[in-house]
Amino acid sequence: MNKFSFFISISGLFGLVSCSGNASESAVLPIDTVQTDSAPVLEDDHSYSNVHDVYSKHLHLDLAVDFERKVLSGSVVHTIENVNGVTEMVFDMNDEAIQKITLDDDTAATAYTIGEDDELLGSALTVQIKPETKKVTIYYESDPGSNSLQWLTPQQTAGKKHPYLYTQGQAVLTRTWIPCQDTPLKRITYSAHIKTPANLMAVMSADNPTEKSKDGNYSFDMPQPIPTYLIALAVGDLSFATLGERTGVYTEPVMLSKCVYEFVDVEKMVIAAEELYGEYKWGRYDIIVLPPSFPFGGMENPKLTFATPTIISGDRSLVSLIAHELAHSWSGNLVTNATWDDFWLNEGFTVYIENRIMEKVYGKEYSDMLLSIEYQELENENEDILAGSHPEDTHLKLNLDGRDPDEGMTSIAYVKGALFLKTLEAAAGRDKFDPFLKSYFDLHEFQPVTTEMFVEFLNKNLLEPNNIEFNTDEWIYGEGIPENCVAVESDRFDKVSEKAALITSVNSGAELNVKKTDWSTQEWMHFIRQIPAEADVTKMEMLDNEFNFSTCGNAEIMSEWYLVSIQKGYDKINKPMEDFLVTVGRRKFLQPLYEELAKTESGMALAKKIYTKARPNYHSVSTGTIDEILSWEE
Ligand code: BES
Ligand code: ZN
């Protein structure tokens, strides 16, 4: 794989600071710290592109959506900046069929080569250009097996009448549907013309239509520069409803009113985030609720969060996921991890901000429960990783060279990252920490940032001015969870634990004296996690009779329940669990269940039986993971 590097213009970045109106608001400014001569050399092990020599600053897509053939076909026009006057421009691609490449307004084809194919990273597409070339147009078609795209049949949608298509870009999948320089080191603006079959609507991570067009022609504009992993498209039988002044929701018509009910507080969340970290820079904040195969809970595509329908619980209890994706509008989308080794800068900051938004909108008692749930996951995963072959994956700063960036998607980046910031917050006090974070976003907006750049910024602008001693290096370059980590506690969870301890000594669920409506989803999740080791199948049945966990409809509760049930051999869940696994494609739910099943022979047999049915419904992100767990051969 090719490596590359380039110098980020630190002097240009910090030149802005002196005239920034924000400086006076913050106790930690002014900032004049990073020296040009110490500017870091930035490298991305997961891209072939030569962005240090020549980079694409705008791309225009012209694509037709062909559901029959499962391809997007048309062209991408790259408007380029040739910094070093080079005669070759390298793009990332993965399996697209290239028909022809032209320069500027010429119609004659230029020469290009396609390098060796790597399963994960695809190939280098090297195009012969001239030093004065301004535009490179690539005529191409995506592969029907593109790892970004999921083509759904009408049967796989809520309405059952129309096909559906959506993309997933992060981390290295955009190159499987757009030949581009697919690295978070550089940002790009984009525009698009998308042609869909009649009766469908197309939406993108861009300014969007709110109604179907008559002829299936849609135009898009994304004027803010973004990294390519945030380019996204969805096409289906979509309808739109307004939530607030700047907020709204897209989904299939049969889902629309449920989504509107669930998302009543979204505008309040935007306001809460702005109060903390400054103006929302992306215009509108809309959400698209996708079919259940979507492999993630949410994806922070700018202007339009992509979300799983498993958060539509009917009681608004899973909306912290929206707070999370919204938080990425600052951490990730505005200030972006320079490489996937710095992924915690995206996710750790985002989990921290998510929790601050939740505290502001719903109160501390509730945000404490949310963090406790996550902390339990961190403790377990930390132990697992330390016991495995890559204990260094418990560092915040990763080294994913030669590995799938997806492997960095653990609670380390998310929760250890957030707790690092929470521990810093406790050391400095919110009066200093909040303006510090706000200035971090202001000063690095629309820029890539490395872990090292953040550490330097932290030292100069929070720790040194306030004489705070902090074990930053241990947090970032050390294994596990440092001793000084803030305590994560929840009084409400303590009460739940007391009830759970009674499970082995009561003879009926009613004796526990808890009504279904007494507790939040998070309290029920905690209750299930706290079921004592000694509780046997009879106790499981007792609880199921009383609380109906197996078929309660709340995906978070059901998946926790199925996991404990597999461990205890409570097989009355087998049918509802199969239904769940066949419909839902969210990897976070699938992975632990298949892993638990795979531990025994009979479980493995059941897993394989279910997977045979379920696999056609999953996105490649999920089949990639589950194929490995079950040693599945297509
Ligand atoms: N950006 C991530 C999803 C992602 C990460 C996709 C890495 C591909 C590679 C998104 O913001 C996310 O973290 N989603 C979580 C939500 C949760 C933490 C609230 C998810 O999908 O579970
Ligand atoms: Zn995230």
Side-chain angles (χ1 to χ4, degrees):
M1 148 192 17
N2 287 340
K3 283 196 179 180
F4 66 85
S5 59
F6 78 99
F7 286 89
I8 182 169
S9 165
I10 299 290
S11 53
L13 176 59
F14 285 86
L16 292 172
V17 177
S18 51
C19 58
S20 159
N22 302 316
S24 58
E25 287 168 31
S26 164
V28 296
L29 294 174
I31 290 150
D32 59 355
T33 51
V34 184
Q35 312 274 311
T36 315
D37 55 6
S38 72
V41 177
L42 302 185
E43 290 187 5
D44 180 352
D45 301 321
H46 297 103
S47 171
Y48 298 100
S49 61
N50 60 338
V51 289
H52 55 304
D53 284 331
V54 52
Y55 64 89
S56 172
K57 55 184 182 186
H58 180 87
L59 68 78
H60 177 78
L61 288 170
D62 193 345
L63 294 174
V65 183
D66 184 341
F67 281 98
E68 310 262 280
R69 293 176 54 235
K70 299 191 176 160
V71 298
L72 297 172
S73 65
S75 62
V76 54
V77 185
H78 288 280
T79 305
I80 69 175
E81 191 72 42
N82 195 339
V83 191
N84 289 334
V86 294
T87 55
E88 279 186 355
M89 179 160 185
V90 186
F91 297 89
D92 297 290
M93 65 174 277
N94 197 345
D95 279 353
E96 292 95 331
I98 309 275
Q99 288 135 4
K100 166 169 136 172
I101 302 181
T102 63
L103 304 182
D104 295 322
D105 297 323
D106 281 356
T107 51
T110 189
Y112 64 88
T113 57
I114 297 173
E116 205 182 304
D117 182 45
D118 178 273
E119 164 112 8
L120 173 71
L121 300 176
S123 358
L125 168 64
T126 306
V127 180
Q128 303 304 313
I129 57 168
K130 302 194 185 91
E132 62 278 10
T133 302
K134 292 280 173 269
K135 277 193 301 188
V136 176
T137 303
I138 305 172
Y139 296 86
Y140 73 101
E141 200 167 89
S142 65
D143 189 83
S146 157
N147 280 339
S148 169
L149 308 178
Q150 192 176 15
W151 299 89
L152 297 170
T153 62
Q155 254 325 301
Q156 292 167 311
T157 67
K160 315 277 180 220
K161 288 207 189 76
H162 299 274
Y164 205 107
L165 164 72
Y166 68 86
T167 66
Q168 165 61 34
Q170 199 178 9
V172 291
L173 300 180
T174 298
R175 67 189 69 173
T176 76
W177 71 284
I178 309 172
C180 64
Q181 294 182 311
D182 198 10
T183 168
L185 286 177
K186 274 286 175 192
R187 309 175 79 86
I188 198 162
T189 54
Y190 79 86
S191 50
H193 167 245
I194 304 288
K195 172 81 172 121
T196 74
N199 298 318
L200 299 183
M201 197 196 299
V203 290
M204 294 191 80
S205 51
D207 293 326
N208 278 307
T210 54
E211 277 173 19
K212 287 179 184 163
S213 74
K214 293 222 159 44
D215 51 6
N217 285 298
Y218 294 92
S219 293
F220 300 92
D221 200 26
M222 181 52 168
Q224 289 99 332
I226 56 170
T228 48
Y229 73 86
L230 295 174
I231 302 176
L233 167 71
V235 178
D237 179 20
L238 298 176
S239 50
F240 172 81
T242 293
L243 295 169
E245 217 174 294
R246 289 172 285 183
T247 50
V249 59
Y250 293 84
T251 194
E252 290 181 67
V254 294
M255 291 284 292
L256 193 61
S257 62
K258 288 185 202 136
C259 294
V260 170
Y261 178 86
E262 212 74 21
F263 295 153
V264 67
D265 290 329
V266 171
E267 188 80 29
K268 278 190 213 156
M269 290 181 178
V270 182
I271 294 166
E274 283 189 316
E275 282 169 10
L276 287 164
Y277 306 114
E279 188 200 348
Y280 177 77
K281 296 274 165 74
W282 305 93
R284 292 194 55 85
Y285 180 75
D286 293 318
I287 302 163
I288 176 169
V289 177
L290 294 159
S293 65
F294 187 56
F296 296 106
M299 179 62 215
E300 66 271 26
N301 297 316
K303 296 176 190 275
L304 183 67
T305 283
F306 280 30
T308 168
T310 59
I311 56 168
I312 309 301
S313 56
D315 61 5
R316 300 172 176 161
S317 66
L318 301 175
V319 292
S320 63
L321 184 129
I322 300 300
H324 178 98
E325 304 313 333
L326 169 67
H328 275 303
S329 306
W330 287 262
S331 44
N333 298 3
L334 200 56
V335 179
T336 306
N337 55 204
T339 75
W340 301 116
D341 291 342
D342 306 298
F343 182 56
W344 79 276
L345 291 178
N346 275 18
E347 296 302 341
F349 278 63
T350 296
V351 171
Y352 172 83
I353 297 175
E354 165 198 344
N355 204 254
R356 294 295 303 273
I357 296 172
M358 293 306 286
E359 181 185 324
K360 250 178 175 293
V361 179
Y362 300 99
K364 187 157 164 27
E365 225 183 38
Y366 189 60
S367 60
D368 280 350
M369 289 198 286
L370 293 167
L371 197 63
S372 289
I373 292 272
E374 291 165 334
Y375 187 65
Q376 290 166 10
E377 287 157 15
L378 172 63
E379 283 187 308
N380 293 337
E381 205 166 2
N382 180 49
E383 273 180 33
D384 288 351
I385 300 174
L386 286 176
S389 56
H390 283 290
E392 75 282 6
D393 285 356
T394 63
H395 303 185
L396 288 177
K397 173 80 184 192
L398 297 171
N399 179 4
L400 297 169
D401 192 6
R403 294 168 65 194
D404 189 337
D406 241 35
E407 293 184 41
M409 201 188 177
T410 72
S411 318
I412 298 295
Y414 284 79
V415 188
K416 181 182 173 184
L419 289 171
F420 171 47
L421 298 183
K422 249 195 156 287
T423 306
L424 280 167
E425 176 207 295
R430 280 191 179 175
D431 59 328
K432 299 215 168 61
F433 193 69
D434 289 355
F436 162 76
L437 263 197
K438 181 173 184 299
S439 70
Y440 168 72
F441 293 127
D442 286 344
L443 295 169
H444 299 91
E445 65 174 22
F446 300 108
Q447 297 287 337
V449 171
T450 62
T451 301
E452 293 70 22
M453 288 162 73
F454 172 71
V455 170
E456 183 156 3
F457 188 84
L458 172 70
N459 287 334
K460 295 270 158 67
N461 299 292
L462 187 72
L463 301 181
E464 285 163 17
N466 296 297
N467 288 317
I468 299 169
E469 288 278 321
F470 204 87
N471 53 339
T472 308
D473 282 357
E474 184 188 351
W475 274 93
I476 292 180
Y477 306 106
E479 284 181 5
I481 310 163
E483 283 286 317
N484 67 329
C485 181
V486 285
V488 179
E489 284 159 349
S490 156
D491 296 341
R492 275 169 66 178
F493 275 6
D494 293 344
K495 301 213 172 73
V496 173
S497 300
E498 284 166 26
K499 286 281 181 195
L502 299 176
I503 292 172
T504 43
S505 52
V506 297
N507 294 312
S508 78
E511 282 175 58
L512 287 172
N513 227 339
V514 198
K515 286 201 296 292
K516 273 213 94 167
T517 49
D518 287 351
W519 284 344
S520 64
T521 294
Q522 288 70 30
E523 283 159 302
W524 285 112
M525 289 167 73
H526 184 71
F527 179 77
I528 295 169
R529 289 180 183 186
Q530 297 300 311
I531 295 173
E534 311 83 72
D536 58 9
V537 173
T538 333
K539 295 292 178 196
M540 293 296 284
E541 192 161 11
M542 172 188 93
L543 293 174
D544 216 3
N545 288 339
E546 182 72 15
F547 303 116
N548 186 32
F549 294 132
S550 293
T551 54
C552 69
N554 183 311
E556 293 282 355
I557 295 177
M558 290 191 297
S559 66
E560 295 284 349
W561 176 249
Y562 298 152
L563 188 67
V564 186
S565 298
I566 301 167
Q567 286 159 356
K568 294 193 184 283
Y570 173 58
D571 58 16
K572 292 216 169 139
I573 56 140
N574 288 5
K575 181 66 183 105
M577 179 173 70
E578 174 171 334
D579 294 345
F580 180 79
L581 290 172
V582 169
T583 342
V584 174
R586 184 174 172 190
R587 185 172 60 178
K588 178 188 116 164
F589 294 140
L590 311 182
Q591 185 173 354
L593 294 175
Y594 282 109
E595 273 171 356
E596 200 58 41
L597 285 169
K599 286 180 184 167
T600 65
E601 211 175 301
S602 60
M604 184 60 122
L606 178 61
K608 287 191 165 159
K609 191 192 111 197
I610 296 174
Y611 194 49
T612 309
K613 244 169 123 177
R615 194 175 185 281
N617 294 337
Y618 296 167
H619 184 273
S620 82
V621 160
S622 291
T623 56
T625 303
I626 311 302
D627 282 358
E628 212 169 298
I629 296 169
L630 303 181
S631 312
W632 190 264
E633 309 265 336
E634 255 179 283

